[in-house]
Amino acid sequence: MQSFLDPAILFFVFGILAGALKSNLEIPPQISRFLSLYLLMALGLKGGFALAKSGLTPEVSISLGLALLLAVLVPALGYLILRRWLSGFDAAAIAATYGSVSAVTFITAVQFLDTHGIAYGGHMAAAMALMESPAIIMAVLLANLVRRKEAAKTGATAGATAASAPGPLSKVMHEALTDGAQLLLIGAMLVGILSGEAGKSAMQPFAGDLFKGMLSFFLLDMGLLAARNMGKLRSQPPLLIAYALGAPLVHAGLALSLSVLCGLSAGNAALLMVLAASASYIAVPAVVRHAIPEANPSLYFGMSLGLTFPFNILLGIPLYVSVAQRVIPG
């Protein structure tokens, strides 16, 4: 219950209520974009400062390795499950959405750990950056495989199949690996590592003092956006709604098992659980809409933003942290 009294979470709830009431309250897109970039820059700096202090420890290497492993396992598992009920294109798009990560969910989790005095490693920001792209690349490869199978059934030539594809894989990979938000996070982290403790002191008013207020403002906007996308799910099959709420729990459980097996701390395990449980609603939909135009955007976008994101912000984060603390001794 205490997590619901956090100002950032309360602003998110307020945004959902305002959106449900069809209020004309709106955050201009330019401001929303600025807030998103600010949060990523501040998070990258915090991670860089922490890495400059701790150095490259075994837990850092293990955490990053587990992040990459989950970035492959989660979309692969999602595709195998969803392919039973959906077309190959929709299954690949949803698998990519849930295989990638939500930066805002991760940032909210970091703030939650800070508020409750739970230690974690700044390198987990790097884990988030590593987990964003593999799912997109896997989805595009799966979609191309589906196209070839459909072409074989219809007797289309290889040239016709290639012509129907939205673009070369190299272009999609370039977009996935050079996304501006991801590059900003990595660049800010490098700045933090290079500037160290002196940089931390200099940037404290920007990356520290303002962080909570900026996050609250951004979550207000996310609450409004989530409320407006919940209506799109009314016509969707109950199976997809169950997946949007159940998959995060399964993915978080997988991350916790790997964390216990590899000896991660409770704080790092909790953040790995949050990353595995989150679903992208910005980077992946933008790329997938171009790379897999055959997929239905209302499915992967509506599920991630209308259900999974609110679930993780309101219930998931405190649940994952509590379970990690109970399973992993402090």
Side-chain angles (χ1 to χ4, degrees):
M1 179 59 69
Q2 186 179 358
S3 63
F4 284 100
L5 300 180
D6 183 277
I9 302 302
L10 289 174
F11 270 109
F12 179 72
V13 174
F14 172 66
I16 291 179
L17 292 175
L21 293 172
K22 301 188 184 303
S23 168
N24 63 354
L25 176 61
E26 184 180 9
I27 309 298
Q30 297 87 346
I31 294 179
S32 179
R33 176 64 174 168
F34 164 75
L35 291 171
S36 175
L37 293 175
Y38 164 81
L39 291 172
L40 287 170
M41 182 176 177
L43 178 66
L45 285 170
K46 286 184 176 184
F49 297 146
L51 275 173
K53 185 175 181 179
S54 67
L56 186 63
T57 64
E59 184 162 10
V60 171
S61 302
I62 292 172
S63 299
L64 297 182
L66 290 181
L68 280 175
L69 178 61
L70 286 167
V72 175
L73 287 179
V74 169
L77 178 64
Y79 181 79
L80 289 176
I81 293 173
L82 292 165
R83 189 66 181 89
R84 298 169 180 263
W85 298 281
L86 300 174
S87 71
F89 298 116
D90 284 331
I94 296 174
T97 301
Y98 282 80
S100 190
V101 295
S102 163
V104 179
T105 305
F106 178 80
I107 291 169
T108 306
V110 166
Q111 183 63 41
F112 183 91
L113 294 181
D114 287 338
T115 301
H116 291 80
I118 302 171
Y120 61 91
H123 63 277
M124 294 306 295
M128 183 187 76
L130 287 174
M131 291 180 71
E132 188 159 15
S133 299
I136 301 176
I137 298 170
M138 283 184 63
V140 174
L141 292 173
L142 289 170
N144 286 342
L145 180 62
V146 173
R147 289 189 188 101
R148 285 196 293 269
K149 287 183 177 179
E150 291 191 351
K153 289 180 180 179
T154 59
T157 63
T161 303
S164 65
L169 178 61
S170 59
K171 181 179 179 181
V172 175
M173 291 182 64
H174 180 268
E175 291 180 4
L177 297 173
T178 61
D179 176 70
Q182 185 173 347
L183 283 181
L184 175 61
L185 175 69
I186 296 173
M189 193 177 303
L190 289 174
V191 170
I193 293 173
L194 293 174
S195 58
E197 196 63 32
K200 181 178 180 180
S201 299
M203 297 299 289
Q204 175 60 29
F206 174 81
D209 298 341
L210 291 176
F211 189 83
K212 185 78 169 185
M214 292 289 199
L215 177 60
S216 300
F217 201 7
F218 190 65
L219 283 179
L220 168 63
D221 184 39
M222 288 295 98
L224 291 167
L225 192 58
R228 290 162 187 163
N229 279 274
M230 287 178 182
K232 298 178 180 178
L233 297 169
R234 294 174 184 170
S235 60
Q236 302 305 332
L239 174 69
L240 293 183
I241 295 177
Y243 184 88
L245 297 176
L249 298 175
V250 174
H251 300 159
L254 178 60
L256 178 62
S257 300
L258 291 173
S259 299
V260 172
L261 186 64
C262 296
L264 296 191
S265 67
N268 290 340
L271 288 180
L272 194 64
M273 292 170 72
V274 169
L275 287 171
S278 66
S280 175
Y281 56 85
I282 297 177
V284 171
V287 176
V288 167
R289 183 168 294 193
H290 163 73
I292 314 178
E294 301 93 338
N296 183 358
S298 66
L299 291 182
Y300 55 84
F301 185 72
M303 289 170 62
S304 62
L305 184 56
L307 283 176
T308 303
F309 179 69
F311 172 79
N312 278 328
I313 294 295
L314 297 176
L315 300 175
I317 291 173
L319 174 63
Y320 307 145
V321 174
S322 175
V323 171
Q325 287 185 300
R326 288 177 179 273
V327 173
I328 301 176

